[in-house]
Amino acid sequence: MTLLYADFTCPVCQNEDKQMYEIKDGKKKMIFPGDAFLEEKVFEAECGYCDAKCKVQLKVMNNKFAGFANEDELSNGKFKNDPDKDKVFKKWKSEKTFSPSERFDFKKQPFKPGTEITLNSEKFNIEKVYRTEWIEKDVDIRLDHPRPDIYWYELKSQSGLKRWLKVENVEGENVFLSDKGIVVMDREDVVEDITHNPVKIKEIYKDDWFGGRKIEAYQYVNGVRILVTDHKKRTEMDIFEDTFEEAMEAVEENMELGVFNE
Ligand SMILES: [Zn+2]
């Protein structure tokens, strides 16, 4: 599935929200504003704030995905500039997420759809369950910028407010609430809708290794992650590949390159 992801402003209530457009083509690819894309399309989407049914125009500019325009924006020229992906990511990173005082036990994630949770004494119902998977394959980038496992939930309050909740696998504060949709950090983040199969990431392999090391492999929707930790539980390798075989090959290649050089 190719997934296009960008902001969309509802022409009825003027609220901005994240919009996704799926193309079932057997690929696994995310496209953000600024990425190469050729075909403009029109589809219908429901506003998360006012439930209005809106016509969404998938805009292409200079053979790049430019974003999702509503009917007013088609005529007012908002999409006349060349799409700039850096600007879009900068905006998304700065978007307000605020942190409720609650903490959720990551071991109990993911919540099932329909679960009721309380945030800052307001009750919400879980409507959709997502996981963002970091499919970065560069081992050095993975090691230098470790990223926790993250679940996102689309929530609705009793008064009909929509919010997005992020629960991260980190110590301390691990809960963030956004009123602008799911926030992705970079192009190697893939958003997976797991509402219909809200299960944990499965451990598919675990073994003790030389020198007190441990090797563990996990099955994500988009591939297999292998972690090698030393006797002090420090991560020495963090591999992400499409299949277990490819991930194991990458482990071997890294060993030959002398990752373990103590
Ligand atoms: Zn609206």
Side-chain angles (χ1 to χ4, degrees):
M1 164 180 87
T2 297
L3 194 67
L4 291 99
Y5 188 91
D7 295 319
F8 177 69
T9 304
C10 170
V12 180
C13 70
Q14 304 303 324
N15 276 305
E16 189 188 77
D17 203 352
K18 298 283 182 288
Q19 185 68 47
M20 291 187 244
Y21 182 76
E22 287 181 22
I23 301 167
K24 294 202 166 58
D25 52 7
K27 292 181 190 161
K28 280 179 179 160
K29 202 172 169 195
M30 270 196 87
I31 294 185
F32 299 108
D35 286 332
F37 196 74
L38 297 178
E39 201 183 340
E40 294 208 328
K41 288 172 197 295
V42 179
F43 61 100
E44 208 176 62
E46 203 178 280
C47 171
Y49 291 90
C50 72
D51 297 331
K53 294 237 188 318
C54 317
K55 221 178 177 182
V56 183
Q57 169 84 43
L58 191 170
K59 287 292 294 172
V60 170
M61 191 75 67
N62 299 331
N63 297 333
K64 287 180 207 157
F65 173 47
F68 297 124
N70 67 38
E71 284 171 304
D72 303 336
E73 289 164 334
L74 284 179
S75 49
N76 73 9
K78 185 183 167 187
F79 287 87
K80 66 176 187 317
N81 296 325
D82 215 23
D84 179 349
K85 190 157 61 191
D86 291 341
K87 227 167 105 183
V88 170
F89 279 120
K90 218 168 160 187
K91 171 179 179 289
W92 288 350
K93 278 183 188 170
S94 72
E95 275 175 0
K96 181 177 60 177
T97 53
F98 58 93
S99 165
S101 43
E102 286 81 4
R103 186 187 148 76
F104 289 123
D105 185 354
F106 195 82
K107 289 198 185 83
K108 292 187 179 143
Q109 306 300 312
F111 291 128
K112 302 279 179 288
T115 306
E116 190 184 87
I117 57 166
T118 305
L119 293 165
N120 296 341
S121 69
E122 194 171 359
K123 285 199 172 98
F124 289 91
N125 229 299
I126 303 228
E127 303 236 299
K128 283 189 163 182
V129 185
Y130 298 92
R131 182 164 56 227
T132 53
E133 298 189 352
W134 194 37
I135 60 166
E136 173 61 62
K137 287 182 178 168
D138 186 309
V139 182
D140 293 328
I141 296 178
R142 294 189 68 85
L143 284 176
D144 288 345
H145 309 275
R147 190 84 67 76
D149 286 322
I150 295 170
Y151 290 102
W152 280 93
Y153 302 98
E154 194 176 304
L155 312 175
K156 208 169 201 171
S157 75
Q158 283 165 334
S159 59
L161 275 184
K162 250 194 195 175
R163 293 286 183 267
W164 287 264
L165 170 76
K166 175 167 85 161
V167 181
E168 287 181 295
N169 188 12
V170 292
E171 300 282 319
E173 245 176 40
N174 72 336
V175 174
F176 299 90
L177 202 57
S178 157
D179 55 4
K180 295 275 194 209
I182 297 168
V183 181
V184 294
M185 299 307 283
D186 64 49
R187 56 172 305 131
E188 301 303 326
D189 267 333
V190 172
V191 182
E192 283 294 341
D193 184 344
I194 57 167
T195 308
H196 300 293
N197 187 27
V199 292
K200 271 183 203 316
I201 296 157
K202 280 192 188 62
E203 188 177 74
I204 52 173
Y205 177 73
K206 188 179 193 169
D207 206 358
D208 289 326
W209 247 22
F210 64 96
R213 291 180 175 84
K214 276 195 165 53
I215 176 165
E216 294 153 85
Y218 297 91
Q219 180 69 56
Y220 288 67
V221 176
N222 294 286
V224 170
R225 181 182 185 189
I226 292 187
L227 282 168
V228 176
T229 45
D230 69 7
H231 64 289
K232 286 182 174 163
K233 290 188 176 165
R234 290 173 305 202
T235 304
E236 284 184 318
M237 272 193 220
D238 183 350
I239 310 267
F240 196 94
E241 291 291 342
D242 295 339
T243 64
F244 181 68
E245 288 71 26
E246 284 167 312
M248 284 306 280
E249 271 171 32
V251 169
E252 280 163 26
E253 275 166 29
N254 276 280
M255 282 178 71
E256 281 161 23
L257 290 172
V259 171
F260 310 122
N261 50 4
E262 56 192 75

